[in-house]
Amino acid sequence: MPMDLRVGDVLETKKNHPCGGNTFEVLRVGMDFRIRCTTCDKQLWIERPKLEKRVKKVSREEPAETE
Ligand SMILES: [Zn+2]
């Protein structure tokens, strides 16, 4: 089962980025993922299987309730 990862999710990874940060925002999903390091702002491509292995935690902002 593929991990449920969506655009906008913030991922905490086991391995730190060279800048020392370990949280990444998902910009694009698919066979390859486009993610952005939230610490240094660098964007990178990563294959889904590699990314899934590195993810420790997924944070998702729930949409605000509307009346
Ligand atoms: Zn970084």
Side-chain angles (χ1 to χ4, degrees):
M1 270 278 280
M3 203 178 270
D4 179 26
L5 299 169
R6 303 179 200 174
V7 171
D9 286 355
V10 174
L11 314 175
E12 197 178 304
T13 56
K14 293 167 196 163
K15 201 180 156 193
N16 283 9
H17 195 235
C19 72
N22 74 333
T23 52
F24 296 84
E25 183 191 352
V26 178
L27 301 178
R28 194 188 280 192
V29 298
M31 290 295 289
D32 293 311
F33 276 61
R34 181 88 166 155
I35 57 176
R36 180 177 68 86
C37 174
T38 61
T39 309
C40 70
D41 232 29
K42 196 165 186 174
Q43 297 184 10
L44 51 138
W45 289 99
I46 184 166
E47 293 161 39
R48 176 183 265 273
K50 278 191 192 169
L51 181 62
E52 287 190 0
K53 266 182 229 164
R54 290 191 195 182
V55 171
K56 193 162 75 180
K57 197 176 142 197
V58 180
S59 308
R60 181 171 301 148
E61 280 194 31
E62 299 298 331
E65 279 186 41
T66 48
E67 286 180 32

